[in-house]
Amino acid sequence: GIFVDETGDLYAPCGKSGIEDRFYAVSLVFHDKSIDVTRAISSLDERLSHLSLPSVISEHAIHSYNLIRREYPYRDLTIRERKKIFSYMVDFLTCVHAQGVTVRTLLVDRSLYAKLDKDERGQAILTELQHQMYELLTTLGEQLFRFSEIKIYYDNGQSEISALLHKCFNQYKIDDSIIERYDAHQCDYRLLQASDMACTLTLLKAKQSHGTSFTHNDITFFNSKKGSNDAKQKISNIIF
């Protein structure tokens, strides 16, 4: 299965000094069903259950940037609790990646299209994403399309991304072997949540490498002395 998530706004204005909206990312987590990730999922579920937090139950989908920004449903959690959840999700993503699950993220610098109007900017970003997607599928080549069936899971967060996935994957494999699940719910698939985390990690590292200022929420979350700073260290070490 291929688990997809995105982060960013295709159409919002953006300049090179933009903090929150400079980058747009689409992450894809490629899971060969022969790779058993049930132990990693069970371990994550167990660690979360030990926190005994009413807002984090087994059916809950972890949204990484909501943790950083202290948004619903994490408003009442301490920064120590939010850091633990974030760190657990980074561990989960790192674990399944080490097992052989492929993680790839497409990244677009939206500031390159700052002078375009809203619709032109959105289309330019989609065109760049399409180019990157084709390059990715070409690189994966036989590794991906040797399977008799490919399932794509996405929550249809942005219809433009659903259309992009449909176009790109069917360009490479035009038959009934591709099953598109664009109504997938994040809470049903930990690997969708892993894709969400991959987007967040990519954005954070892009901000760092491009010299873009971190938001107040970023700084508060990662530089706070409350709780462990394991999450910050893990981000600096993780490579996909």
Side-chain angles (χ1 to χ4, degrees):
I2 303 170
F3 299 83
V4 184
D5 198 32
E6 94 297 319
T7 184
D9 190 328
L10 288 168
Y11 303 104
C14 178
K16 288 189 179 295
S17 61
I19 295 177
E20 297 191 34
D21 58 0
R22 176 171 175 178
F23 301 101
Y24 188 95
V26 177
S27 287
L28 301 95
V29 173
F30 298 84
H31 176 221
D32 179 344
K33 291 294 180 67
S34 66
I35 299 173
D36 187 358
V37 297
T38 54
R39 180 174 293 184
I41 293 174
S42 296
S43 175
L44 172 62
D45 289 343
E46 183 178 2
R47 295 177 83 185
L48 291 173
S49 68
H50 286 166
L51 294 177
S52 300
L53 301 173
S55 57
V56 182
I57 57 178
S58 59
E59 298 83 8
H60 171 69
I62 303 297
H63 292 285
S64 50
Y65 241 112
N66 292 46
L67 283 167
I68 294 173
R69 293 189 293 247
R70 199 179 183 181
E71 294 176 344
Y72 178 85
Y74 312 114
R75 294 191 189 108
D76 296 329
L77 302 188
T78 66
I79 194 167
R80 185 187 303 272
E81 292 167 334
R82 287 185 288 126
K83 278 187 173 184
K84 281 186 178 181
I85 297 169
F86 191 96
S87 183
Y88 292 168
M89 281 302 302
V90 173
D91 285 344
F92 172 68
L93 178 59
T94 305
C95 178
V96 296
H97 181 250
Q99 286 185 256
V101 172
T102 300
V103 182
R104 296 289 184 270
T105 301
L106 315 179
L107 183 71
V108 178
D109 185 345
R110 297 179 62 258
S111 68
L112 299 176
Y113 313 103
K115 294 182 179 180
L116 300 179
D117 67 29
K118 176 182 176 181
D119 292 336
E120 289 176 332
R121 180 166 53 250
Q123 188 55 54
I125 294 169
L126 287 170
T127 298
E128 174 59 23
L129 286 170
Q130 178 177 302
H131 174 71
Q132 292 186 31
M133 185 79 75
Y134 281 146
E135 282 194 340
L136 173 61
L137 297 181
T138 300
T139 300
L140 293 176
E142 295 180 2
Q143 173 188 345
L144 180 60
F145 294 109
R146 63 187 171 86
F147 299 108
S148 59
E149 181 180 271
I150 298 174
K151 291 184 179 179
I152 304 174
Y153 298 89
Y154 178 55
D155 64 4
N156 201 31
Q158 296 183 25
S159 59
E160 295 90 344
I161 300 303
S162 295
L164 179 70
L165 291 168
H166 176 81
K167 180 178 181 179
C168 291
F169 278 91
N170 282 277
Q171 178 80 16
Y172 275 79
K173 197 172 179 85
I174 307 173
D175 51 35
D176 294 332
S177 64
I178 296 180
I179 301 174
E180 297 167 301
R181 295 283 306 277
Y182 297 154
D183 58 349
H185 296 288
Q186 288 266 348
C187 59
D188 293 334
Y189 303 98
R190 286 298 190 195
L191 289 178
L192 266 181
Q193 298 165 47
S195 189
D196 167 89
M197 177 58 77
C199 279
T200 294
L201 295 178
T202 300
L203 285 181
L204 290 169
K205 296 187 82 168
K207 289 179 181 181
Q208 186 178 44
S209 63
H210 287 78
T212 302
S213 299
F214 287 96
T215 66
H216 172 74
N217 286 319
D218 294 335
I219 295 170
T220 300
F221 187 79
F222 291 107
N223 288 347
S224 170
K225 294 182 180 179
K226 297 179 180 179
S228 171
N229 274 320
D230 284 351
K232 185 177 181 180
Q233 185 62 41
K234 288 170 183 174
I235 287 172
S236 64
N237 293 336
I238 200 164
I239 300 175
F240 296 127

